Amino acid sequence: MPDLPPTPDRPGLHVSKPSPSAPATASAVCDCGASATATGDGQVRALVDGYTANHGPAHNQTGRRP
């Protein structure tokens, strides 16, 4: 499967951890224009938690929080 990082045209969340000993990496882009990246398991976990709580699925179709 190819690496599919999010872009402003294709917002979303992408997490990668190629091996158990490698640090996780993540990138996120939201419809509202927010974006973030993280490296390291703890920082990636925080990015995912923040994105899911405040962006992406937390927004309605117009890109605004409900």
Side-chain angles (χ1 to χ4, degrees):
M1 177 175 218
D3 219 7
L4 298 172
T7 66
D9 294 332
R10 198 180 65 242
L13 177 66
H14 180 264
V15 176
S16 177
K17 185 164 174 83
S19 75
S21 61
T25 60
S27 59
V29 177
C30 183
D31 283 320
C32 73
S35 64
T37 61
T39 300
D41 295 0
Q43 289 183 0
V44 168
R45 190 173 299 113
L47 186 148
V48 170
D49 290 345
Y51 181 82
T52 56
N54 301 299
H55 296 284
H59 289 295
N60 62 20
Q61 294 292 341
T62 63
R64 298 182 188 160
R65 285 190 58 115

